[in-house]
Amino acid sequence: MNLRVVFGGIGIMVGVAWFESELWAQAVSQLEAIHVAEIHTGVAVESVELHQTERGKAYRVRSTGGRVLVVDGDHGRLLKRSEGPSEYEWPGIRVVAHRGGVLLGPPENTLPAIEKAIAVGADLIEIDIRQTVDGDLVLMHDATVNRTTNGSGAVTELSRAEIARLEVIHEGTEVIRVPGLGEALALMKGRIDADLDFKGGDLGKLVAAVRAAGMEDHATIHASWERCQRLTGMEPRIRIRPTVQHSGQVRDLVQRLRPAMVNFDWHAVTEQSVRDAHLSGALAFVNCLETADTDLYVREAIRIGADYIQSDRPDRVIAILRELGLRPDKPILGSRLGTPLRDPKLRYPLR
């Protein structure tokens, strides 16, 4: 017998066994599933069983008092809390329209952009907020109005009245103005959730605008760690979306801020970083923007367990989710989300 063939065959078998063990090592362990249940209930676990579902592995965890939780065996997210005082069911991957969906047609950060994002079926619309010299909040991504309007100057040096007279640059003939935050929230209410990227200004004014619109349960705010921490103290009903610069920051961020979600720019996205967010009790908000705004990257975000995917083409993300059988019939608005870490009775960290 040819020894090269024998040892070659052994080498292949060892290689396959190593590969399979590596894949298994990346999956969520039974102990990790127990810890997820502990985080979300604050009590001990009585039993845990691993089941194979049509979507993959899932742990059924029974806590003291009869509460039953289902934990995803691949990504670690809480899928369902079927009993107990705080009902929760994972709503599926939510699609976010970046600046209203920059590549959908209407100009970014405008009322027509909001209407278009709603029309294509996005779950959230991300808009950028800045404060004018006289204290109003307007939709504007850049520090100046130069790129997107027929005017010039810094937002912080222009009044609301001056900005209101400007025309937004676009290819059509319709005159489009820069909207105020109040106008935008009024258009969104009851139709789509707001994702507010707060570029600068008085945080109290932002909270007041969300409250005035009655959208405390329908708004997410993206800001610095410090601003997110302040916001939680001012209005805990608003979900916060702080960013990690690298995968090693995830657990520290969640322990400090207990956010509803962790924001990942594409360079910080890994299988383990998304899993760490879930195992810490948070959801994963993945940005597929700029060079990462392609079908390949969107599919990778889906594969590794993203809970939110932000894109300039939300319609394309929705089409991919439908192709994979992962899209609900209707968008799910914030008041029905029950994001796990927003439970005031949650005891974190338990361990």
Side-chain angles (χ1 to χ4, degrees), residues 8-74:
I10 293 173
I12 291 172
M13 292 173 63
V14 171
V16 169
W18 174 85
F19 180 69
E20 289 180 345
S21 68
E22 284 297 296
L23 286 178
W24 182 258
Q26 291 178 2
V28 175
S29 71
Q30 178 170 295
L31 182 57
E32 287 172 326
I34 289 172
H35 284 325
V36 170
E38 290 169 338
I39 288 173
H40 291 295
T41 64
V43 299
V45 166
E46 293 181 345
S47 66
V48 57
E49 299 175 350
L50 180 62
H51 294 275
Q52 184 69 36
T53 71
E54 61 182 41
R55 294 292 183 189
K57 298 186 297 294
Y59 291 96
R60 182 179 172 82
V61 186
R62 182 176 293 276
S63 296
T64 302
R67 283 169 284 190
V68 177
L69 298 88
V70 180
V71 179
D72 189 299
D74 294 314

Side-chain angles (χ1 to χ4, degrees), residues 106-125:
E108 67 183 58
N109 284 309
T110 62
L111 300 184
I114 294 172
E115 287 287 4
K116 186 66 175 180
I118 293 170
V120 302
D123 301 286
L124 286 82
I125 180 167

